[in-house]
mmCIF file with all atom_site columns, all heavy atoms in Angstrom:
data_model
loop_
_atom_site.group_PDB
_atom_site.id
_atom_site.type_symbol
_atom_site.label_atom_id
_atom_site.label_alt_id
_atom_site.label_comp_id
_atom_site.label_asym_id
_atom_site.label_entity_id
_atom_site.label_seq_id
_atom_site.pdbx_PDB_ins_code
_atom_site.Cartn_x
_atom_site.Cartn_y
_atom_site.Cartn_z
_atom_site.occupancy
_atom_site.B_iso_or_equiv
_atom_site.pdbx_formal_charge
_atom_site.auth_seq_id
_atom_site.auth_comp_id
_atom_site.auth_asym_id
_atom_site.auth_atom_id
_atom_site.pdbx_PDB_model_num
ATOM 1   N N   . GLY A 1 104 ? -8.987  -15.706 -15.669 1.00 94.00 ? 1257 GLY A N   1
ATOM 2   C CA  . GLY A 1 104 ? -8.819  -15.069 -16.975 1.00 94.00 ? 1257 GLY A CA  1
ATOM 3   C C   . GLY A 1 104 ? -9.075  -13.571 -16.985 1.00 94.00 ? 1257 GLY A C   1
ATOM 4   O O   . GLY A 1 104 ? -9.725  -13.061 -17.903 1.00 94.00 ? 1257 GLY A O   1
ATOM 5   N N   . MET A 1 105 ? -8.570  -12.850 -15.984 1.00 97.00 ? 1258 MET A N   1
ATOM 6   C CA  . MET A 1 105 ? -8.770  -11.403 -15.976 1.00 97.00 ? 1258 MET A CA  1
ATOM 7   C C   . MET A 1 105 ? -8.115  -10.729 -17.172 1.00 97.00 ? 1258 MET A C   1
ATOM 8   O O   . MET A 1 105 ? -8.582  -9.691  -17.649 1.00 97.00 ? 1258 MET A O   1
ATOM 9   C CB  . MET A 1 105 ? -8.228  -10.796 -14.686 1.00 97.00 ? 1258 MET A CB  1
ATOM 10  C CG  . MET A 1 105 ? -9.158  -10.933 -13.484 1.00 97.00 ? 1258 MET A CG  1
ATOM 11  S SD  . MET A 1 105 ? -10.817 -10.202 -13.737 1.00 97.00 ? 1258 MET A SD  1
ATOM 12  C CE  . MET A 1 105 ? -10.412 -8.466  -13.850 1.00 97.00 ? 1258 MET A CE  1
ATOM 13  N N   . MET A 1 106 ? -7.023  -11.305 -17.664 1.00 97.00 ? 1259 MET A N   1
ATOM 14  C CA  . MET A 1 106 ? -6.348  -10.693 -18.808 1.00 97.00 ? 1259 MET A CA  1
ATOM 15  C C   . MET A 1 106 ? -7.205  -10.784 -20.074 1.00 97.00 ? 1259 MET A C   1
ATOM 16  O O   . MET A 1 106 ? -7.062  -9.986  -20.988 1.00 97.00 ? 1259 MET A O   1
ATOM 17  C CB  . MET A 1 106 ? -4.988  -11.355 -19.042 1.00 97.00 ? 1259 MET A CB  1
ATOM 18  C CG  . MET A 1 106 ? -3.988  -11.076 -17.936 1.00 97.00 ? 1259 MET A CG  1
ATOM 19  S SD  . MET A 1 106 ? -3.702  -9.309  -17.683 1.00 97.00 ? 1259 MET A SD  1
ATOM 20  C CE  . MET A 1 106 ? -2.683  -9.321  -16.213 1.00 97.00 ? 1259 MET A CE  1
ATOM 21  N N   . THR A 1 107 ? -8.095  -11.765 -20.121 1.00 98.00 ? 1260 THR A N   1
ATOM 22  C CA  . THR A 1 107 ? -9.050  -11.833 -21.228 1.00 98.00 ? 1260 THR A CA  1
ATOM 23  C C   . THR A 1 107 ? -9.996  -10.640 -21.156 1.00 98.00 ? 1260 THR A C   1
ATOM 24  O O   . THR A 1 107 ? -10.234 -9.959  -22.160 1.00 98.00 ? 1260 THR A O   1
ATOM 25  C CB  . THR A 1 107 ? -9.855  -13.141 -21.162 1.00 98.00 ? 1260 THR A CB  1
ATOM 26  O OG1 . THR A 1 107 ? -8.972  -14.254 -21.272 1.00 98.00 ? 1260 THR A OG1 1
ATOM 27  C CG2 . THR A 1 107 ? -10.878 -13.207 -22.290 1.00 98.00 ? 1260 THR A CG2 1
ATOM 28  N N   . SER A 1 108 ? -10.508 -10.369 -19.969 1.00 98.00 ? 1261 SER A N   1
ATOM 29  C CA  . SER A 1 108 ? -11.376 -9.206  -19.782 1.00 98.00 ? 1261 SER A CA  1
ATOM 30  C C   . SER A 1 108 ? -10.642 -7.917  -20.115 1.00 98.00 ? 1261 SER A C   1
ATOM 31  O O   . SER A 1 108 ? -11.185 -7.027  -20.788 1.00 98.00 ? 1261 SER A O   1
ATOM 32  C CB  . SER A 1 108 ? -11.880 -9.142  -18.335 1.00 98.00 ? 1261 SER A CB  1
ATOM 33  O OG  . SER A 1 108 ? -12.794 -10.165 -18.073 1.00 98.00 ? 1261 SER A OG  1
ATOM 34  N N   . PHE A 1 109 ? -9.383  -7.808  -19.646 1.00 98.00 ? 1262 PHE A N   1
ATOM 35  C CA  . PHE A 1 109 ? -8.612  -6.592  -19.906 1.00 98.00 ? 1262 PHE A CA  1
ATOM 36  C C   . PHE A 1 109 ? -8.402  -6.378  -21.400 1.00 98.00 ? 1262 PHE A C   1
ATOM 37  O O   . PHE A 1 109 ? -8.509  -5.255  -21.894 1.00 98.00 ? 1262 PHE A O   1
ATOM 38  C CB  . PHE A 1 109 ? -7.255  -6.677  -19.209 1.00 98.00 ? 1262 PHE A CB  1
ATOM 39  C CG  . PHE A 1 109 ? -7.315  -6.548  -17.709 1.00 98.00 ? 1262 PHE A CG  1
ATOM 40  C CD1 . PHE A 1 109 ? -8.521  -6.393  -17.044 1.00 98.00 ? 1262 PHE A CD1 1
ATOM 41  C CD2 . PHE A 1 109 ? -6.159  -6.587  -16.958 1.00 98.00 ? 1262 PHE A CD2 1
ATOM 42  C CE1 . PHE A 1 109 ? -8.585  -6.269  -15.672 1.00 98.00 ? 1262 PHE A CE1 1
ATOM 43  C CE2 . PHE A 1 109 ? -6.202  -6.454  -15.575 1.00 98.00 ? 1262 PHE A CE2 1
ATOM 44  C CZ  . PHE A 1 109 ? -7.414  -6.299  -14.930 1.00 98.00 ? 1262 PHE A CZ  1
ATOM 45  N N   . SER A 1 110 ? -8.101  -7.455  -22.125 1.00 98.00 ? 1263 SER A N   1
ATOM 46  C CA  . SER A 1 110 ? -7.874  -7.347  -23.575 1.00 98.00 ? 1263 SER A CA  1
ATOM 47  C C   . SER A 1 110 ? -9.126  -6.840  -24.288 1.00 98.00 ? 1263 SER A C   1
ATOM 48  O O   . SER A 1 110 ? -9.059  -5.969  -25.157 1.00 98.00 ? 1263 SER A O   1
ATOM 49  C CB  . SER A 1 110 ? -7.459  -8.701  -24.149 1.00 98.00 ? 1263 SER A CB  1
ATOM 50  O OG  . SER A 1 110 ? -6.251  -9.156  -23.576 1.00 98.00 ? 1263 SER A OG  1
ATOM 51  N N   . ILE A 1 111 ? -10.268 -7.421  -23.926 1.00 98.00 ? 1264 ILE A N   1
ATOM 52  C CA  . ILE A 1 111 ? -11.534 -7.006  -24.537 1.00 98.00 ? 1264 ILE A CA  1
ATOM 53  C C   . ILE A 1 111 ? -11.855 -5.558  -24.173 1.00 98.00 ? 1264 ILE A C   1
ATOM 54  O O   . ILE A 1 111 ? -12.227 -4.743  -25.028 1.00 98.00 ? 1264 ILE A O   1
ATOM 55  C CB  . ILE A 1 111 ? -12.673 -7.929  -24.075 1.00 98.00 ? 1264 ILE A CB  1
ATOM 56  C CG1 . ILE A 1 111 ? -12.427 -9.357  -24.570 1.00 98.00 ? 1264 ILE A CG1 1
ATOM 57  C CG2 . ILE A 1 111 ? -14.029 -7.420  -24.565 1.00 98.00 ? 1264 ILE A CG2 1
ATOM 58  C CD1 . ILE A 1 111 ? -13.324 -10.401 -23.930 1.00 98.00 ? 1264 ILE A CD1 1
ATOM 59  N N   . LEU A 1 112 ? -11.676 -5.232  -22.911 1.00 98.00 ? 1265 LEU A N   1
ATOM 60  C CA  . LEU A 1 112 ? -12.038 -3.902  -22.434 1.00 98.00 ? 1265 LEU A CA  1
ATOM 61  C C   . LEU A 1 112 ? -11.189 -2.805  -23.058 1.00 98.00 ? 1265 LEU A C   1
ATOM 62  O O   . LEU A 1 112 ? -11.699 -1.715  -23.357 1.00 98.00 ? 1265 LEU A O   1
ATOM 63  C CB  . LEU A 1 112 ? -11.924 -3.842  -20.909 1.00 98.00 ? 1265 LEU A CB  1
ATOM 64  C CG  . LEU A 1 112 ? -13.091 -4.476  -20.152 1.00 98.00 ? 1265 LEU A CG  1
ATOM 65  C CD1 . LEU A 1 112 ? -12.773 -4.615  -18.671 1.00 98.00 ? 1265 LEU A CD1 1
ATOM 66  C CD2 . LEU A 1 112 ? -14.362 -3.654  -20.354 1.00 98.00 ? 1265 LEU A CD2 1
ATOM 67  N N   . MET A 1 113 ? -9.919  -3.070  -23.288 1.00 98.00 ? 1266 MET A N   1
ATOM 68  C CA  . MET A 1 113 ? -9.080  -2.025  -23.885 1.00 98.00 ? 1266 MET A CA  1
ATOM 69  C C   . MET A 1 113 ? -9.523  -1.690  -25.295 1.00 98.00 ? 1266 MET A C   1
ATOM 70  O O   . MET A 1 113 ? -9.458  -0.539  -25.724 1.00 98.00 ? 1266 MET A O   1
ATOM 71  C CB  . MET A 1 113 ? -7.614  -2.426  -23.833 1.00 98.00 ? 1266 MET A CB  1
ATOM 72  C CG  . MET A 1 113 ? -7.009  -2.213  -22.460 1.00 98.00 ? 1266 MET A CG  1
ATOM 73  S SD  . MET A 1 113 ? -5.213  -2.199  -22.459 1.00 98.00 ? 1266 MET A SD  1
ATOM 74  C CE  . MET A 1 113 ? -4.918  -3.920  -22.162 1.00 98.00 ? 1266 MET A CE  1
ATOM 75  N N   . VAL A 1 114 ? -9.991  -2.688  -26.020 1.00 98.00 ? 1267 VAL A N   1
ATOM 76  C CA  . VAL A 1 114 ? -10.539 -2.423  -27.359 1.00 98.00 ? 1267 VAL A CA  1
ATOM 77  C C   . VAL A 1 114 ? -11.806 -1.581  -27.247 1.00 98.00 ? 1267 VAL A C   1
ATOM 78  O O   . VAL A 1 114 ? -12.004 -0.611  -27.977 1.00 98.00 ? 1267 VAL A O   1
ATOM 79  C CB  . VAL A 1 114 ? -10.829 -3.743  -28.102 1.00 98.00 ? 1267 VAL A CB  1
ATOM 80  C CG1 . VAL A 1 114 ? -11.496 -3.467  -29.453 1.00 98.00 ? 1267 VAL A CG1 1
ATOM 81  C CG2 . VAL A 1 114 ? -9.540  -4.540  -28.308 1.00 98.00 ? 1267 VAL A CG2 1
ATOM 82  N N   . VAL A 1 115 ? -12.666 -1.954  -26.295 1.00 98.00 ? 1268 VAL A N   1
ATOM 83  C CA  . VAL A 1 115 ? -13.910 -1.209  -26.086 1.00 98.00 ? 1268 VAL A CA  1
ATOM 84  C C   . VAL A 1 115 ? -13.611 0.211   -25.610 1.00 98.00 ? 1268 VAL A C   1
ATOM 85  O O   . VAL A 1 115 ? -14.248 1.177   -26.062 1.00 98.00 ? 1268 VAL A O   1
ATOM 86  C CB  . VAL A 1 115 ? -14.814 -1.937  -25.067 1.00 98.00 ? 1268 VAL A CB  1
ATOM 87  C CG1 . VAL A 1 115 ? -16.058 -1.109  -24.767 1.00 98.00 ? 1268 VAL A CG1 1
ATOM 88  C CG2 . VAL A 1 115 ? -15.225 -3.309  -25.603 1.00 98.00 ? 1268 VAL A CG2 1
ATOM 89  N N   . PHE A 1 116 ? -12.634 0.370   -24.704 1.00 98.00 ? 1269 PHE A N   1
ATOM 90  C CA  . PHE A 1 116 ? -12.260 1.706   -24.230 1.00 98.00 ? 1269 PHE A CA  1
ATOM 91  C C   . PHE A 1 116 ? -11.842 2.589   -25.404 1.00 98.00 ? 1269 PHE A C   1
ATOM 92  O O   . PHE A 1 116 ? -12.237 3.760   -25.488 1.00 98.00 ? 1269 PHE A O   1
ATOM 93  C CB  . PHE A 1 116 ? -11.091 1.622   -23.239 1.00 98.00 ? 1269 PHE A CB  1
ATOM 94  C CG  . PHE A 1 116 ? -11.431 0.995   -21.921 1.00 98.00 ? 1269 PHE A CG  1
ATOM 95  C CD1 . PHE A 1 116 ? -10.422 0.651   -21.019 1.00 98.00 ? 1269 PHE A CD1 1
ATOM 96  C CD2 . PHE A 1 116 ? -12.742 0.742   -21.544 1.00 98.00 ? 1269 PHE A CD2 1
ATOM 97  C CE1 . PHE A 1 116 ? -10.722 0.086   -19.791 1.00 98.00 ? 1269 PHE A CE1 1
ATOM 98  C CE2 . PHE A 1 116 ? -13.056 0.163   -20.311 1.00 98.00 ? 1269 PHE A CE2 1
ATOM 99  C CZ  . PHE A 1 116 ? -12.028 -0.169  -19.440 1.00 98.00 ? 1269 PHE A CZ  1
ATOM 100 N N   . GLN A 1 117 ? -11.026 2.019   -26.288 1.00 98.00 ? 1270 GLN A N   1
ATOM 101 C CA  . GLN A 1 117 ? -10.572 2.793   -27.448 1.00 98.00 ? 1270 GLN A CA  1
ATOM 102 C C   . GLN A 1 117 ? -11.754 3.177   -28.319 1.00 98.00 ? 1270 GLN A C   1
ATOM 103 O O   . GLN A 1 117 ? -11.839 4.301   -28.823 1.00 98.00 ? 1270 GLN A O   1
ATOM 104 C CB  . GLN A 1 117 ? -9.561  1.988   -28.264 1.00 98.00 ? 1270 GLN A CB  1
ATOM 105 C CG  . GLN A 1 117 ? -8.955  2.746   -29.435 1.00 98.00 ? 1270 GLN A CG  1
ATOM 106 C CD  . GLN A 1 117 ? -8.182  3.971   -28.994 1.00 98.00 ? 1270 GLN A CD  1
ATOM 107 O OE1 . GLN A 1 117 ? -7.183  3.855   -28.292 1.00 98.00 ? 1270 GLN A OE1 1
ATOM 108 N NE2 . GLN A 1 117 ? -8.631  5.153   -29.387 1.00 98.00 ? 1270 GLN A NE2 1
ATOM 109 N N   . GLY A 1 118 ? -12.687 2.258   -28.483 1.00 98.00 ? 1271 GLY A N   1
ATOM 110 C CA  . GLY A 1 118 ? -13.885 2.549   -29.262 1.00 98.00 ? 1271 GLY A CA  1
ATOM 111 C C   . GLY A 1 118 ? -14.708 3.662   -28.632 1.00 98.00 ? 1271 GLY A C   1
ATOM 112 O O   . GLY A 1 118 ? -15.250 4.534   -29.332 1.00 98.00 ? 1271 GLY A O   1
ATOM 113 N N   . MET A 1 119 ? -14.809 3.650   -27.303 1.00 98.00 ? 1272 MET A N   1
ATOM 114 C CA  . MET A 1 119 ? -15.546 4.702   -26.604 1.00 98.00 ? 1272 MET A CA  1
ATOM 115 C C   . MET A 1 119 ? -14.899 6.063   -26.836 1.00 98.00 ? 1272 MET A C   1
ATOM 116 O O   . MET A 1 119 ? -15.585 7.079   -27.025 1.00 98.00 ? 1272 MET A O   1
ATOM 117 C CB  . MET A 1 119 ? -15.612 4.380   -25.106 1.00 98.00 ? 1272 MET A CB  1
ATOM 118 C CG  . MET A 1 119 ? -16.471 3.160   -24.780 1.00 98.00 ? 1272 MET A CG  1
ATOM 119 S SD  . MET A 1 119 ? -16.275 2.562   -23.063 1.00 98.00 ? 1272 MET A SD  1
ATOM 120 C CE  . MET A 1 119 ? -17.024 3.921   -22.157 1.00 98.00 ? 1272 MET A CE  1
#
Side-chain angles (χ1 to χ4, degrees):
M1258 280 303 293
M1259 292 303 173
T1260 299
S1261 290
F1262 288 1
S1263 299
I1264 296 168
L1265 282 169
M1266 281 197 269
V1267 176
V1268 176
F1269 291 169
Q1270 184 62 63
M1272 292 168 68

